[in-house]
Coordinates of all heavy atoms in Angstrom, one line a residue:
Chain A
M357 N 17.8 -39.6 21.8 CA 18.1 -38.4 21.0 C 16.8 -37.5 21.0 O 16.1 -37.5 20.0 CB 18.5 -38.8 19.6 CG 19.8 -39.5 19.5 SD 21.2 -38.3 19.3 CE 21.9 -38.3 20.9
K360 N 16.6 -34.9 17.9 CA 16.4 -35.5 16.6 C 14.9 -35.8 16.4 O 14.3 -35.5 15.4 CB 17.2 -36.7 16.4 CG 18.4 -36.5 15.5 CD 19.1 -37.8 15.2 CE 19.7 -38.5 16.4 NZ 20.3 -39.8 16.1
V363 N 12.8 -32.7 16.0 CA 12.8 -32.1 14.6 C 12.1 -33.0 13.6 O 11.3 -32.5 12.8 CB 14.3 -32.0 14.2 CG1 14.4 -31.7 12.7 CG2 15.0 -31.0 15.1
L364 N 12.3 -34.3 13.7 CA 11.6 -35.1 12.8 C 10.1 -35.1 13.0 O 9.3 -35.0 12.0 CB 12.1 -36.6 13.0 CG 11.6 -37.5 11.9 CD1 12.3 -37.2 10.7 CD2 11.8 -39.0 12.3
L367 N 8.9 -32.0 11.4 CA 8.8 -32.2 9.9 C 7.6 -32.9 9.5 O 6.8 -32.5 8.6 CB 10.1 -32.9 9.5 CG 10.0 -33.4 8.0 CD1 10.0 -32.2 7.1 CD2 11.3 -34.3 7.7
T377 N -4.1 -28.2 5.2 CA -4.5 -26.9 4.8 C -4.7 -26.9 3.3 O -5.5 -26.2 2.8 CB -3.4 -25.8 5.2 OG1 -2.2 -26.3 4.8 CG2 -3.6 -25.5 6.6
A378 N -3.9 -27.7 2.6 CA -4.0 -27.6 1.1 C -5.3 -28.2 0.7 O -5.9 -27.7 -0.3 CB -2.9 -28.4 0.5
G381 N -8.5 -25.8 2.6 CA -8.4 -24.4 2.6 C -9.5 -23.7 1.9 O -9.7 -22.5 2.0
G382 N -10.3 -24.4 1.1 CA -11.3 -23.7 0.3 C -12.3 -23.1 1.2 O -12.7 -23.6 2.2
E421 N -8.6 9.1 -0.4 CA -9.0 9.7 0.8 C -10.2 10.5 0.8 O -10.8 10.8 1.8 CB -7.8 10.6 1.3 CG -6.6 9.7 1.8 CD -5.4 10.5 2.2 OE1 -5.6 11.7 2.5 OE2 -4.3 9.9 2.2
E442 N -17.7 -4.4 3.4 CA -16.2 -4.2 3.6 C -15.7 -3.4 2.4 O -15.7 -3.8 1.3 CB -15.5 -5.5 3.7 CG -14.1 -5.4 4.2 CD -13.3 -6.7 4.0 OE1 -13.9 -7.8 4.2 OE2 -12.2 -6.7 3.7
Q444 N -12.7 -1.8 0.3 CA -11.2 -1.8 0.1 C -10.9 -0.6 -0.8 O -11.4 -0.5 -1.9 CB -10.9 -3.1 -0.5 CG -11.2 -4.2 0.5 CD -10.7 -5.6 0.0 OE1 -10.4 -5.8 -1.1 NE2 -10.5 -6.5 1.0
S445 N -10.0 0.2 -0.2 CA -9.7 1.4 -1.0 C -8.4 1.2 -1.7 O -7.4 0.8 -1.2 CB -9.8 2.6 0.0 OG -8.5 3.2 0.1
L446 N -8.5 1.5 -3.0 CA -7.3 1.3 -3.9 C -7.2 2.5 -4.7 O -8.2 3.2 -4.9 CB -7.6 0.1 -4.8 CG -8.0 -1.2 -4.2 CD1 -8.7 -2.1 -5.1 CD2 -6.7 -1.9 -3.8
D447 N -6.0 2.8 -5.3 CA -5.9 3.9 -6.2 C -6.3 3.4 -7.6 O -6.4 2.2 -7.8 CB -4.5 4.5 -6.2 CG -3.4 3.5 -6.5 OD1 -3.2 3.2 -7.7 OD2 -2.8 2.9 -5.5
T450 N -3.9 0.8 -9.4 CA -3.9 -0.5 -8.8 C -5.2 -1.2 -9.0 O -5.2 -2.4 -9.3 CB -3.7 -0.3 -7.3 OG1 -2.5 0.5 -7.1 CG2 -3.4 -1.6 -6.6
E453 N -5.5 -2.7 -12.5 CA -4.7 -3.9 -12.5 C -5.3 -5.1 -11.8 O -5.5 -6.2 -12.3 CB -3.4 -3.5 -11.8 CG -2.2 -4.2 -12.4 CD -1.0 -3.6 -11.7 OE1 -0.6 -2.5 -12.1 OE2 -0.6 -4.2 -10.7
K454 N -5.8 -4.8 -10.6 CA -6.4 -5.9 -9.8 C -7.7 -6.4 -10.4 O -8.0 -7.6 -10.3 CB -6.6 -5.4 -8.4 CG -5.4 -5.4 -7.5 CD -5.9 -5.3 -6.0 CE -4.9 -4.8 -5.1 NZ -3.8 -5.7 -5.0
V457 N -7.0 -8.9 -12.9 CA -6.5 -10.1 -12.3 C -7.6 -10.9 -11.7 O -7.8 -12.1 -11.9 CB -5.4 -9.8 -11.3 CG1 -4.9 -11.1 -10.6 CG2 -4.2 -9.1 -12.0
V458 N -8.5 -10.2 -10.9 CA -9.5 -11.0 -10.3 C -10.6 -11.5 -11.3 O -11.2 -12.5 -11.1 CB -10.3 -10.2 -9.1 CG1 -9.4 -9.9 -8.0 CG2 -11.0 -9.0 -9.6
T460 N -10.0 -12.7 -14.1 CA -9.5 -14.0 -14.6 C -9.5 -15.0 -13.5 O -9.5 -16.2 -13.7 CB -8.1 -13.9 -15.2 OG1 -7.2 -13.6 -14.1 CG2 -8.0 -12.8 -16.2
G461 N -9.4 -14.6 -12.2 CA -9.1 -15.5 -11.1 C -10.4 -16.0 -10.4 O -10.4 -17.1 -10.0
E463 N -12.0 -14.5 -7.6 CA -12.3 -14.0 -6.3 C -12.7 -12.5 -6.4 O -12.0 -11.6 -6.0 CB -11.0 -14.1 -5.4 CG -11.2 -13.7 -3.9 CD -11.4 -15.0 -3.1 OE1 -11.6 -16.1 -3.7 OE2 -11.5 -14.9 -1.9
E627 N -0.7 13.9 -12.0 CA -1.5 15.1 -11.8 C -0.6 16.3 -11.8 O 0.6 16.2 -11.4 CB -2.1 15.0 -10.4 CG -3.2 13.9 -10.4 CD -3.6 13.5 -9.0 OE1 -3.0 14.0 -8.1 OE2 -4.4 12.6 -8.9
T629 N -0.8 18.9 -10.0 CA -0.8 19.7 -8.7 C 0.6 20.3 -8.3 O 0.6 21.5 -8.0 CB -1.3 18.8 -7.6 OG1 -2.4 18.0 -8.0 CG2 -1.7 19.6 -6.4
P630 N 1.7 19.5 -8.4 CA 3.0 20.2 -8.0 C 3.2 21.5 -8.9 O 3.8 22.5 -8.4 CB 4.0 19.1 -8.3 CG 3.3 17.8 -8.3 CD 1.9 18.1 -8.8
K633 N 1.2 24.3 -7.6 CA 1.7 24.9 -6.4 C 3.0 25.7 -6.5 O 3.2 26.7 -5.9 CB 2.0 23.8 -5.4 CG 0.7 23.0 -5.0 CD 1.0 21.9 -4.0 CE 1.1 22.4 -2.6 NZ 0.6 21.5 -1.6
A653 N -4.9 19.0 -1.7 CA -3.4 19.1 -1.9 C -2.9 20.6 -1.8 O -1.7 20.8 -1.5 CB -3.0 18.5 -3.2
Chain B
E235 N 7.9 22.2 1.9 CA 7.7 21.9 0.6 C 8.3 22.8 -0.5 O 8.9 22.3 -1.5 CB 6.1 21.8 0.4 CG 5.7 20.9 -0.7 CD 4.2 21.0 -0.9 OE1 3.5 21.2 0.1 OE2 3.8 20.9 -2.1
R261 N -1.2 9.4 9.2 CA -2.2 9.2 8.2 C -2.1 7.7 7.6 O -3.0 7.2 7.1 CB -1.9 10.1 7.0 CG -2.4 11.5 7.3 CD -3.3 12.0 6.2 NE -2.6 12.0 4.9 CZ -2.1 13.1 4.4 NH1 -2.0 14.2 5.1 NH2 -1.5 13.1 3.2
F284 N 14.5 -24.6 6.4 CA 14.2 -25.9 6.7 C 14.1 -26.8 5.5 O 14.8 -27.8 5.3 CB 12.8 -25.9 7.5 CG 12.4 -27.2 8.0 CD1 13.0 -27.7 9.2 CD2 11.5 -28.0 7.4 CE1 12.6 -28.9 9.7 CE2 11.1 -29.2 7.9 CZ 11.7 -29.7 9.0
I321 N -0.5 -15.3 -13.3 CA -1.9 -15.5 -13.4 C -2.3 -16.9 -13.0 O -3.2 -17.1 -12.3 CB -2.4 -15.0 -14.8 CG1 -2.0 -13.6 -15.0 CG2 -4.0 -15.2 -14.8 CD1 -2.8 -12.5 -14.3
Y324 N -2.1 -17.2 -9.4 CA -3.2 -16.4 -8.8 C -4.5 -17.3 -8.9 O -5.3 -17.4 -7.9 CB -3.4 -15.1 -9.6 CG -4.5 -14.3 -8.9 CD1 -4.2 -13.3 -8.0 CD2 -5.8 -14.5 -9.3 CE1 -5.2 -12.6 -7.4 CE2 -6.9 -13.7 -8.7 CZ -6.5 -12.8 -7.8 OH -7.5 -12.0 -7.2
K325 N -4.7 -18.0 -10.0 CA -5.9 -18.8 -10.1 C -5.9 -19.9 -9.1 O -6.9 -20.3 -8.5 CB -6.0 -19.4 -11.5 CG -6.5 -18.3 -12.5 CD -7.0 -19.0 -13.8 CE -8.0 -18.1 -14.5 NZ -8.6 -18.7 -15.6
S328 N -6.7 -18.6 -5.8 CA -8.1 -18.2 -5.7 C -9.0 -19.4 -5.5 O -9.9 -19.4 -4.7 CB -8.4 -17.5 -7.0 OG -9.8 -17.4 -7.2
L330 N -8.1 -22.0 -3.9 CA -7.9 -22.4 -2.5 C -8.6 -21.4 -1.5 O -8.6 -21.6 -0.3 CB -6.4 -22.5 -2.2 CG -5.7 -23.6 -2.8 CD1 -4.2 -23.4 -2.7 CD2 -6.1 -25.0 -2.3
W332 N -7.4 -18.3 -0.9 CA -6.4 -17.6 -0.2 C -6.1 -16.2 -0.7 O -5.1 -15.6 -0.3 CB -5.1 -18.5 -0.2 CG -5.2 -19.7 0.6 CD1 -6.1 -20.0 1.5 CD2 -4.3 -20.8 0.6 NE1 -5.9 -21.2 2.1 CE2 -4.7 -21.7 1.6 CE3 -3.1 -21.1 -0.1 CZ2 -4.1 -22.9 1.9 CZ3 -2.5 -22.3 0.2 CH2 -2.9 -23.2 1.1
V333 N -6.9 -15.7 -1.6 CA -6.6 -14.4 -2.1 C -6.8 -13.4 -1.0 O -7.7 -13.6 -0.1 CB -7.5 -14.1 -3.3 CG1 -7.5 -12.6 -3.7 CG2 -7.2 -14.9 -4.5
D334 N -6.0 -12.4 -0.9 CA -6.1 -11.3 0.1 C -6.0 -11.9 1.5 O -6.7 -11.6 2.4 CB -7.4 -10.5 0.0 CG -7.3 -9.2 0.7 OD1 -6.2 -8.7 0.9 OD2 -8.4 -8.7 1.2
L344 N 7.1 -20.6 0.0 CA 7.6 -21.4 1.2 C 8.9 -22.1 0.9 O 9.7 -22.4 1.8 CB 6.5 -22.3 1.7 CG 5.5 -21.6 2.6 CD1 4.4 -22.5 3.0 CD2 6.1 -20.9 3.8
N374 N 22.4 -42.2 12.6 CA 21.5 -42.5 11.5 C 21.5 -41.3 10.5 O 22.2 -40.3 10.8 CB 20.1 -42.8 12.0 CG 19.5 -41.7 12.8 OD1 19.9 -40.5 12.6 ND2 18.6 -42.0 13.7
L376 N 19.5 -38.9 9.9 CA 19.2 -37.6 10.4 C 20.3 -37.1 11.3 O 20.7 -35.9 11.4 CB 17.9 -37.6 11.2 CG 16.7 -37.6 10.3 CD1 15.4 -38.0 11.1 CD2 16.5 -36.2 9.7
G377 N 20.9 -38.0 12.1 CA 22.1 -37.7 12.9 C 23.2 -37.1 12.0 O 23.8 -36.1 12.3
F380 N 22.2 -33.5 10.9 CA 22.2 -32.5 11.9 C 23.6 -32.3 12.6 O 23.9 -31.2 13.0 CB 21.1 -32.7 13.0 CG 19.8 -32.3 12.5 CD1 18.9 -33.3 12.1 CD2 19.4 -31.0 12.3 CE1 17.6 -32.9 11.6 CE2 18.2 -30.6 11.8 CZ 17.3 -31.6 11.4
R381 N 24.3 -33.4 12.7 CA 25.6 -33.3 13.4 C 26.8 -32.9 12.4 O 27.7 -32.3 12.9 CB 25.9 -34.7 14.0 CG 24.8 -35.1 15.0 CD 25.4 -35.9 16.0 NE 24.8 -35.7 17.2 CZ 25.3 -36.4 18.3 NH1 26.3 -37.2 18.2 NH2 24.7 -36.2 19.5
R410 N 1.4 -7.1 -4.4 CA 0.5 -6.1 -5.0 C -0.7 -6.7 -5.6 O -1.8 -6.2 -5.6 CB 1.3 -5.3 -6.0 CG 0.5 -4.2 -6.7 CD 1.4 -3.5 -7.7 NE 0.6 -2.7 -8.6 CZ 0.2 -1.5 -8.4 NH1 0.5 -0.8 -7.4 NH2 -0.5 -0.9 -9.3
L411 N -0.5 -7.9 -6.2 CA -1.6 -8.6 -6.9 C -2.5 -9.3 -5.9 O -3.7 -9.3 -6.0 CB -1.1 -9.5 -7.9 CG -0.6 -8.8 -9.2 CD1 0.0 -9.8 -10.2 CD2 -1.7 -8.0 -9.8
L413 N -2.8 -9.0 -2.5 CA -3.4 -8.3 -1.4 C -4.3 -7.2 -1.8 O -3.9 -6.4 -2.7 CB -2.3 -7.8 -0.4 CG -1.4 -8.8 0.2 CD1 -0.4 -8.1 1.1 CD2 -2.2 -9.8 1.0
S414 N -5.4 -7.0 -1.2 CA -6.2 -5.7 -1.4 C -6.5 -5.0 -0.1 O -6.9 -3.9 -0.2 CB -7.4 -5.9 -2.3 OG -7.9 -7.2 -2.2
S415 N -6.5 -5.8 1.0 CA -6.8 -5.1 2.3 C -5.6 -4.3 2.8 O -4.5 -4.9 2.9 CB -7.2 -6.1 3.3 OG -8.3 -6.9 2.8
Y419 N -1.0 -5.0 4.0 CA 0.1 -4.5 3.2 C 1.5 -4.6 3.8 O 1.6 -4.4 5.0 CB -0.2 -3.0 2.9 CG -1.1 -2.8 1.7 CD1 -1.9 -3.8 1.2 CD2 -1.1 -1.6 1.0 CE1 -2.7 -3.6 0.1 CE2 -1.9 -1.3 -0.1 CZ -2.7 -2.4 -0.5 OH -3.5 -2.2 -1.6
Q427 N 1.7 2.8 -2.7 CA 0.3 3.3 -2.6 C 0.4 4.8 -2.3 O -0.4 5.6 -2.9 CB -0.4 2.5 -1.6 CG -1.6 3.2 -1.1 CD -2.9 2.3 -1.3 OE1 -2.9 1.4 -2.1 NE2 -3.9 2.6 -0.6
M430 N 1.3 6.8 -5.3 CA 0.3 6.9 -6.3 C -0.7 7.9 -5.9 O -1.3 8.7 -6.7 CB -0.5 5.5 -6.4 CG 0.4 4.4 -6.8 SD 0.2 4.2 -8.6 CE 1.2 2.8 -8.9
R431 N -1.1 7.9 -4.6 CA -2.1 8.8 -4.1 C -1.6 10.2 -3.9 O -2.4 11.2 -3.8 CB -2.6 8.4 -2.8 CG -3.5 7.2 -2.9 CD -4.2 7.0 -1.6 NE -5.0 5.8 -1.6 CZ -5.6 5.3 -0.6 NH1 -5.5 5.9 0.6 NH2 -6.4 4.2 -0.7
T433 N 1.2 12.3 -5.4 CA 2.3 12.7 -6.2 C 2.7 14.1 -6.0 O 3.8 14.5 -6.4 CB 2.0 12.5 -7.7 OG1 0.7 13.0 -7.9 CG2 2.1 11.1 -8.1
S434 N 1.9 14.8 -5.3 CA 2.2 16.3 -5.2 C 3.0 16.6 -4.0 O 3.6 17.7 -4.0 CB 0.9 17.1 -5.1 OG 0.1 16.6 -4.0

Side-chain angles (χ1 to χ4, degrees):
Chain A
M357 291 270 106
K360 258 189 292 177
V363 169
L364 189 69
L367 168 63
T377 46
E421 288 178 20
E442 192 190 320
Q444 295 186 340
S445 116
L446 303 157
D447 57 81
T450 309
E453 213 174 276
K454 275 197 204 296
V457 176
V458 298
T460 67
E463 189 95 353
E627 292 161 2
T629 320
K633 297 181 77 149
Chain B
E235 210 187 320
R261 285 233 300 266
F284 188 77
I321 303 285
Y324 184 92
K325 284 198 156 188
S328 164
L330 292 168
W332 289 348
V333 169
D334 197 28
L344 282 178
N374 61 26
L376 281 166
F380 285 104
R381 302 208 144 182
R410 183 177 160 91
L411 286 177
L413 300 179
S414 28
S415 304
Y419 274 18
Q427 162 124 338
M430 297 265 186
R431 283 191 182 174
T433 45
S434 55

